[in-house]
Amino acid sequence: MSRIGRYLNRRLEVWRNTTVPDGAGGEDTTLVLQGTVRAKVDQPSPTERLVAAQAGSRHSHDIWLLPTADVQRGDELRGTDALGRQQVFRVQSVVQPSRPVYSKAFVELTQQEGA
């Protein structure tokens, strides 16, 4: 297992847009559960926030993952925080270092109205 594994203290569901038949000859796009990944959710550094803002990105959190985690741009990562509140993160991008010891997803936390 990767050395990062000991830091991954949460489980997040991975939801991905998938095209499915609509039963009338067309197609619908719907979110489908792909599986669960181990993760660590962090706030980005001030520098990362500045760079994201300059690029027009809505980067609110960094999510650290195993390098083999199947997480892609556009996915939703869903789970609960330490207080049991539901969280939904929209993946903006995923990167790995040149030696793949981890993956890092840059995400935006989305909140339900009234939350």
Side-chain angles (χ1 to χ4, degrees):
M1 177 172 297
S2 175
R3 289 184 207 150
I4 193 169
R6 68 178 172 259
Y7 300 107
L8 306 179
N9 58 3
R10 292 179 62 179
R11 295 213 179 264
L12 299 175
E13 295 177 339
V14 179
W15 291 80
R16 185 168 296 148
N17 277 319
T18 304
T19 303
V20 295
D22 66 4
E27 297 177 328
D28 285 328
T29 301
T30 186
L31 285 170
V32 175
L33 178 63
Q34 301 297 303
T36 303
V37 294
R38 294 176 53 208
K40 181 176 187 299
V41 179
D42 281 336
Q43 297 286 326
S45 71
T47 301
E48 288 174 321
R49 288 184 197 199
L50 178 62
V51 169
Q54 289 173 339
S57 175
R58 295 180 171 140
H59 175 199
S60 66
H61 290 77
D62 295 334
I63 298 183
W64 300 84
L65 307 154
L66 290 173
T68 56
D70 182 15
V71 174
Q72 302 173 9
R73 183 177 193 273
D75 286 351
E76 281 189 4
L77 302 177
R78 300 179 186 179
T80 56
D81 67 10
L83 299 175
R85 297 176 296 208
Q86 289 292 322
Q87 291 182 310
V88 177
F89 301 96
R90 171 69 65 180
V91 178
Q92 305 296 316
S93 65
V94 180
V95 297
Q96 283 187 340
S98 58
R99 195 173 116 232
V101 292
Y102 65 85
S103 289
K104 184 177 180 182
F106 300 98
V107 303
E108 175 188 15
L109 175 64
T110 61
Q111 295 182 332
Q112 303 291 330
E113 282 192 37

